Every structure is written in structure tokens, then in C-alpha cells.
Amino acid sequence: MKIGMAGSLESNDALITVKESSVINIEVQSIVDAFYHDQIVQVIQSTLDAARINAIDVVCLDKGALDYTIKARLLTAIHRMEVRHE
Amino acid sequence: MSKLSDYLPPDFKPFVSSDAYKQKQRRLISEKEQSQSVVFLHSVSEVFDALNLHDGMTFSFHHHLRNGDKVIGLIGEEVHRRGLKDMTFAASSLFPNHASLVDLIKEGNVSGIIANYANGPVAKAISMGLLKKPFIMDTHGGRARAIESGDLMIDVAFIASPAVDKAGNGTGRFGPSACGTLGYAIPDLHYAKKVVLISDYQMDHIEEAELNHRYVDYVVMVDKIGDSEGIVSGTTKVTRDPVGRKIARDTVMVLDKLGLIKEGFSMQTGAGGISLAVVEYVKDLMIRQNIRARFASGGITGQYVLMHEQGLVETLYDVQCFDLRAAKSYRENRRHVAISASEYGNPFEPSPIVDQLDFVVLGATEIDLNFNVNVTTDSLGEIIGGSGGHADTAHGAKVTVVVTNLLKARLPIIKEHVTTLTTPGSDIDILVTERGIAVNPIRIDLMNQLKQKGIQIVKIEDLMQLSYQIAGVPKTLSHEKTIIGYVRYRDGSIIDVLYKKM
């Protein structure tokens, strides 16, 4: 199983884990879920789109990270997944 | 939009304005009968028998032992053991260590709770709607008013007293659980129908006892009334976060430009990390410019003790010692003076300490475009705190400054409307964030003064928009409209409603 992780559970950060999958599956657990759930899913989706990834499993444990943090953690997690299994 | 008055029971009056109390007369019930002699007992159970305690009574407690208090748990245990029902617990504050009350709420032993602050499992249980009667939240000064006016009638005050003497006097200065001043217990001592001191340390004689034996009916000696470690406030750590430091520096700069830090001034600060950093910077400025303060008040911290001992602050007016260094200072320093909750913040006192403050620096969980502040619930409506002295000092001080980060874990702190109203915006003058300083438009005087000194002022609306640009616009939530309690303003009017958590 190919897997990659990036981030932390510190306040204002997010811990993102990606795994290979046959479809796109995005799971978000956030301390600001009531206010920003849709926006977090959207930034993950658009980051995947921009990276032309159409099959991956993403788990985001969010502690109030801003969009650019989520994007950076996601891209790093994907990079680590690929590098580790080259 | 519906009005607050639509939600109030007929005996509750809606909030009008923060100075409406000036049109009202002070109401005073007569003080409790003085006891002929104090009876010493050796268990909580004996005092329940002696006073013939029964269903439906109201017991009161203070929170000077904070998160180390064992007395509420002890009394709760006895209520539970006897299967008493429908009791009301009126505690000045409730902390995480009072978790054992949750079962009493669930089982109907406790059906009413009144407090100025609540945090932890009990607050959570109340937010979930488990308490049978509405939860009432007072301010520190408002609780004193409620007690003296008979709005809050106390059958028995169980007062944790770190030391007692043979005559039945009590003090917070001595004993293994010495916590310092006992200001919040004084109204209870004077107006409860019966007063029981709970202690774990006996002395021959106490000089200048805060708790005078004439009001005391029983003293119960138990093994332990508290853990001194838990007395230290969890919030009392100076921030090292550079953003918090910047907010603190800017706050002191503003106070200085307004000419508020001058010989003989008076101040109070909250116990949040930024407020504590403010005190550090004020101290630096005082030393540099050789300025001494007339007094500092409030929950006194070790920081203020040092300033007092260095001759920078003449007098400490202390309703509640926030840490053990403050408790020690109260025991040793003559100008570290105990004040009661009423002398501190009761609007009907002739000259409460809060009215003599030049400035106060306070925190906020939320602040809205009208400068209204919420420190009672989080943005989902869950109870996480309460006014304490927030609304009292905000009204009394000449200048009230709120310090906060623009965002906390993504959530914008500036809202169009606060989730819960604790302190009315008419009493909040200045907001300092890391991205700018906003002044309440009703304080044109302050606005002009700061502009003349070259300080850049931004609109609070612009700060909110800036936080939206950074974090995105938070989704608007639709409230579940089950009322679980009321926020009672210091004058006794109801300023907001508490809803079951979304």
C-alpha cells in the first residue's frame, strides 16, 4: 500500500494522510467543521485537480489550518507517497 | 428578528443599558441572624442532619480553590448519598474538577445551577440541555447584587475555609489549602440563611479573619478541602507567541498615548496570556518613566505582587488570588487588601473598585461590529466560560481595551453578531488585534486623541473583512432554539439567552 503523510496536529495545522485508491475519496475531520467543512473539501479537491490526480484517498485531520497550509500539506503528503515508492 | 423579551419568563426584565442601574434603588434583604455559638462537627453528614437539609434547597459555594476545590464534590456526594432531589447549586464558578456534578444533574439531585463562570464537564452537560431548570449566569458583581437583593436566596452557604480558629472564624491565609482572599464568599456569609465553614486546618486564633464567626453556624472539619496545585489558574501564563506580544505592545502604546499610564493611575487586566504580557510592558514603561500606580485590582497574580513589592503599585485590591505567590503576598503584605465581590463590582455599591479604574484590558472569545463581547460560549453556543468580572470592569473603567488575535485556529474573532452577549458594546472602547486597532465610534474623544498622536485607526468592519480574506467566510449556522439558560447582566436584567448546543 502506497501511503504518504504531512503536517501535524498542532493548532493552525492539519495532518494529511494520502493512500493510493481507484477513486477520489476525501475525508475531513476539523475543529472548525461547522464553519469551514465545505471550503476544506474544496481546497483539497482543487489541489488534486491542479495536480491532475483523479484517484487517491485523502484523510485530513484539521486543527484550524488556513487554505495554503492545507494545500502545502496535501502536496507534500502526495510527494512523500510517490518518492517513498519509486 | 425576534426580541429578547419574547423569550423571557415574566419575572425576568430584559437588559436596557449598562447604566440603567443608576435609575434603580438598591434592594437589600436583612443580613442573616447572628449565631449564638458556633458548633463544630466532624462530618458533612452530621451537618446535613443538624440543619435538617431537604429537597429543593439552594446551596452556595465559592471558587477560590478553583480547579483544586473538593468542597462542591463533598457536598454533592452527600446530596447523592441521601437521594435529595431538586437542589440548586449556586457556585461563583465551576471548573473541570467538578465533573462529579454531572451525575447529580442527570439523576435529578441537582436541577438548578447558578454561576458566574463554568468550564469543563458540567458546562458541557448544561450545554447539552441536561439541567432541568434554566442555567443562570451572573457577573462577579452581579452575583453579590443577586444575593443581597434576595434574587438569589441561599439556604446554606458551604464556605471552603482554608483555616478556622476555635471561635469559628475563617481565613484563606493559612493552612495546606491557603488560597488567599475569599472575596466571592462574603455576600454568601452575610446573607445565606445558614453558614457552614468547611475546613481542614484549625488554629488557636485568627487575626483579622475574613470570615467572621458571628455569621457562622457550623464548622465541619474534613480531611482535605482542596489541592493547592489546582488553585493556580490554568490561564495564567504570559504569552511568548510573537503575535500576542505585538498585540500587547500595541495595547501599551495606545494606553500610553491616551495618557492613561501616569503617576497615580489604576489598572486591571484579565488573566489571558496577552493581558499578562500587557502587564510586563506596562511595568517596563513605569520603570523607564519612574511612574507609580495607585492600585491594581482584580484577580491578583504574581506579576502584580512583584510590582507591588518593587514599589511600583501602591495597593493591591484583591477579590481572588490567582496564584500561590499572590496568596503568599496577601498573607505578608499590608497593602495587599482583600475586597468582597460587592466592593469589587456590585453596581449598587457607592463606589466599587471597578468604577475607580483608569483602564482594564480584557479578552474576548468573540467581538461583533457593535463591539459587543462574548466570553460565555464558543461560536457553536457551547458554554466555555462566563463574564466573571468582564462586564463589571468594562462598565466601571474609564477605558476598556479588548485584546485578541484576529483569528484563532482559523475562526474569525470579529463577527457580525456575537453568538452570546456577555458585555455590551457600549462599554467596550478599543479593540487591539495584530492587524490593526479599532475604536468604538461612540468614543469620538479617544478616536480623536489617538489620531492626533499619529496612531492609525481602522474600522472594525475592515478588520472583519480582512479576517474573511485570510480564512474565508465562515458558514452561517442555523440555531436550534431550545433555551437552556440566561445571561444575567450585573444589574439583574437579562442580557441574552443560552441555547442548547448546535
Side-chain angles (χ1 to χ4, degrees):
Chain A
M1 169 70 81
K2 285 164 77 174
I3 188 165
M5 283 174 87
S8 76
L9 294 175
E10 295 293 314
S11 190
N12 302 306
D13 201 354
L15 180 65
I16 294 189
T17 309
V18 294
K19 286 181 212 158
E20 58 177 353
S21 166
S22 55
V23 290
I24 283 194
N25 184 25
I26 299 171
E27 186 194 329
V28 171
Q29 284 176 37
S30 170
I31 56 165
V32 292
D33 204 69
F35 301 98
Y36 289 107
H37 182 89
D38 298 348
Q39 197 174 321
I40 295 168
V41 171
Q42 201 198 327
V43 74
I44 291 171
Q45 184 65 60
S46 64
T47 306
L48 295 176
D49 290 347
R52 296 172 188 211
I53 294 169
N54 49 27
I56 195 167
D57 189 81
V58 179
V59 177
C60 171
L61 304 179
D62 171 57
K63 297 290 178 185
L66 295 171
D67 282 352
Y68 55 74
T69 308
I70 295 169
K71 190 175 166 187
R73 296 306 191 196
L74 176 59
L75 290 172
T76 305
I78 292 167
H79 178 70
R80 284 175 180 166
M81 175 174 81
E82 286 164 353
V83 168
R84 196 174 300 163
H85 298 280
E86 262 170 12
Chain B
M1 218 170 107
S2 48
K3 297 197 308 290
L4 175 64
S5 52
D6 299 341
Y7 297 101
L8 296 185
D11 50 334
F12 281 3
K13 302 255 185 302
F15 170 79
V16 177
S17 73
S18 64
D19 55 8
Y21 71 91
K22 290 175 181 163
Q23 315 302 322
K24 289 186 204 162
Q25 286 291 315
R26 187 175 194 173
R27 286 182 293 136
L28 290 171
I29 55 172
S30 48
E31 283 201 357
K32 81 180 284 283
E33 264 178 56
Q34 301 208 345
S35 63
Q36 300 307 308
S37 65
V38 181
V39 179
F40 281 73
L41 299 173
H42 292 279
S43 74
V44 166
S45 180
E46 284 173 27
V47 87
F48 272 60
D49 285 335
L51 285 169
N52 193 22
L53 301 185
H54 55 77
D55 293 355
M57 285 185 139
T58 297
F59 295 164
S60 81
F61 308 90
H62 68 68
H63 71 280
H64 290 280
L65 299 172
R66 303 182 70 88
N67 205 31
D69 172 64
K70 289 185 178 296
V71 169
I72 291 180
L74 270 176
I75 301 302
E77 202 178 297
E78 188 62 21
V79 164
H80 193 247
R81 200 179 67 78
R82 290 174 178 248
L84 296 179
K85 296 287 177 194
D86 269 334
M87 313 304 281
T88 293
F89 276 26
S92 49
S93 296
L94 291 165
F95 288 94
N97 70 320
H98 296 124
S100 63
L101 275 188
V102 173
D103 281 341
L104 278 74
I105 293 169
K106 285 183 183 163
E107 292 172 35
N109 304 104
V110 171
S111 62
I113 294 183
I114 302 168
N116 312 341
Y117 177 99
N119 179 270
V122 179
K124 249 193 174 64
I126 295 169
S127 286
M128 284 165 64
L130 297 180
L131 190 68
K132 199 167 122 199
K133 292 178 190 159
F135 178 43
I136 296 179
M137 300 202 76
D138 283 307
T139 73
H140 283 334
R143 182 177 188 272
R145 179 214 59 81
I147 292 171
E148 70 176 25
S149 67
D151 284 357
L152 169 50
M153 291 287 257
I154 300 165
D155 291 300
V156 184
F158 288 102
I159 301 178
S161 181
V164 292
D165 69 13
K166 286 176 176 166
N169 296 299
T171 182
R173 292 199 297 271
F174 306 108
S177 297
C179 58
T181 64
L182 298 173
Y184 298 125
I186 305 302
D188 310 48
L189 179 78
H190 291 174
Y191 292 102
K193 288 176 197 155
K194 293 288 174 191
V195 169
V196 178
L197 303 191
I198 313 274
S199 188
D200 54 14
Y201 185 74
Q202 196 170 346
M203 305 166 64
D204 280 342
H205 177 67
I206 296 167
E207 296 282 349
E208 295 174 54
E210 299 91 55
L211 308 173
N212 190 302
H213 70 92
R214 290 196 315 268
Y215 297 102
V216 178
D217 300 287
Y218 293 92
V219 173
V220 180
M221 299 306 293
V222 298
D223 286 343
K224 220 169 179 319
I225 61 167
D227 292 319
S228 54
E229 288 304 309
I231 299 169
V232 180
S233 163
T235 51
T236 314
K237 277 204 183 79
V238 185
T239 185
R240 294 287 151 215
D241 168 31
V243 174
R245 303 292 290 188
K246 176 186 165 38
I247 295 168
R249 270 198 312 275
D250 286 352
T251 301
V252 177
M253 185 264 296
V254 163
L255 293 168
D256 188 32
K257 297 285 183 196
L258 289 172
L260 291 166
I261 302 174
K262 58 169 195 294
E263 186 65 23
F265 76 101
S266 55
M267 69 183 287
Q268 182 169 334
T269 49
I274 300 176
S275 296
L276 296 180
V278 166
V279 181
E280 283 194 354
Y281 289 122
V282 169
K283 181 179 171 178
D284 290 348
L285 185 72
M286 290 170 76
I287 292 171
R288 272 203 315 278
Q289 302 190 0
N290 196 23
I291 294 167
R292 281 162 307 163
R294 183 164 74 88
F295 76 83
S297 63
I300 293 295
T301 60
Q303 265 184 324
Y304 281 115
V305 168
L306 277 176
M307 288 168 76
H308 174 61
E309 291 175 349
Q310 289 164 6
L312 293 169
V313 178
E314 194 184 320
T315 306
L316 302 174
Y317 289 115
D318 193 356
V319 66
Q320 163 201 27
C321 297
F322 263 147
D323 54 36
L324 297 177
R325 174 173 240 154
K328 182 170 178 283
S329 161
Y330 169 59
R331 189 161 61 233
E332 294 168 358
N333 291 318
R334 294 303 297 174
R335 295 307 301 162
H336 188 151
V337 179
I339 53 171
S340 72
S342 203
E343 291 162 334
Y344 172 56
N346 181 350
F348 293 101
E349 278 283 327
S351 182
I353 291 293
V354 295
D355 285 5
Q356 302 171 44
L357 283 167
D358 288 322
F359 65 86
V360 63
V361 178
L362 298 168
T365 308
E366 298 177 332
I367 181 166
D368 70 19
L369 297 181
N370 294 315
F371 286 80
N372 294 312
V373 170
N374 167 25
V375 289
T376 304
T377 66
D378 67 14
S379 298
L380 293 169
E382 180 169 324
I383 297 156
I384 52 157
S387 171
H390 201 287
D392 300 310
T393 50
H395 181 69
K398 287 189 193 79
V399 174
T400 299
V401 184
V402 164
V403 291
T404 179
N405 294 45
L406 199 60
L407 303 162
K408 285 180 197 159
R410 189 171 193 155
L411 282 185
I413 300 304
I414 304 171
K415 310 267 169 182
E416 280 182 52
H417 300 284
V418 284
T419 307
T420 306
L421 178 50
T422 312
T423 299
S426 56
D427 286 343
I428 305 294
D429 303 313
I430 299 172
L431 167 67
V432 181
T433 74
E434 74 276 25
R435 298 288 187 133
I437 298 160
V439 177
N440 191 331
I442 60 172
R443 291 303 299 263
I444 298 165
D445 56 328
L446 300 179
M447 188 112 59
N448 289 340
Q449 250 179 298
L450 289 171
K451 278 182 180 164
Q452 277 165 20
K453 301 268 181 181
I455 308 295
Q456 203 190 336
I457 305 296
V458 292
K459 284 191 182 143
I460 192 167
E461 289 84 357
D462 293 346
L463 286 174
M464 185 181 79
Q465 287 307 328
L466 181 60
S467 68
Y468 285 0
Q469 280 168 30
I470 297 168
V473 180
K475 206 163 104 185
T476 319
L477 305 175
S478 49
H479 259 280
E480 187 194 337
K481 293 285 185 189
T482 309
I483 293 171
I484 54 125
Y486 300 98
V487 182
R488 187 155 64 180
Y489 191 63
R490 57 202 299 259
D491 65 358
S493 65
I494 301 299
I495 193 164
D496 207 353
V497 173
L498 294 164
Y499 294 106
K500 196 167 147 184
K501 193 193 173 212
M502 285 174 251

